[in-house]
Amino acid sequence: MTISIQIDGMHCDGCVRSVEKAASSVEGVSNLSVNLENGKLTADIARPELIDKLKGVIEDCGFDVTGVTA
């Protein structure tokens, strides 16, 4: 399942790296990319419940999740 997560508050490449590092630590996530221009994380996830896990690690980095599209 491919998902997109809208992230508010990313301003630089360091922000992108923080989100990528945190999200890539979630087991079952693959093909991860974070786009600074549109503020989106796109990834393939093995199970739907990983959406909440990803939202949590992004918020732990200090960013706001403003939407999820599956």
Side-chain angles (χ1 to χ4, degrees):
M1 161 189 262
T2 300
I3 62 162
S4 292
I5 298 177
Q6 188 69 44
I7 304 168
D8 195 26
M10 292 191 303
H11 302 289
C12 65
D13 289 336
C15 296
V16 170
R17 284 191 297 276
S18 294
V19 171
E20 286 175 338
K21 182 177 180 180
S24 66
S25 72
V26 177
E27 191 173 326
V29 175
S30 60
N31 298 325
L32 174 74
S33 70
V34 179
N35 185 301
L36 179 61
E37 289 182 29
N38 65 16
K40 283 190 180 178
L41 175 149
T42 304
D44 293 333
I45 59 172
R47 300 176 310 281
E49 59 270 16
L50 292 177
I51 293 171
D52 288 336
K53 180 75 172 168
L54 280 171
K55 287 169 58 177
V57 298
I58 292 166
E59 290 168 348
D60 287 348
C61 289
F63 304 104
D64 294 319
V65 173
T66 58
V68 177
T69 305

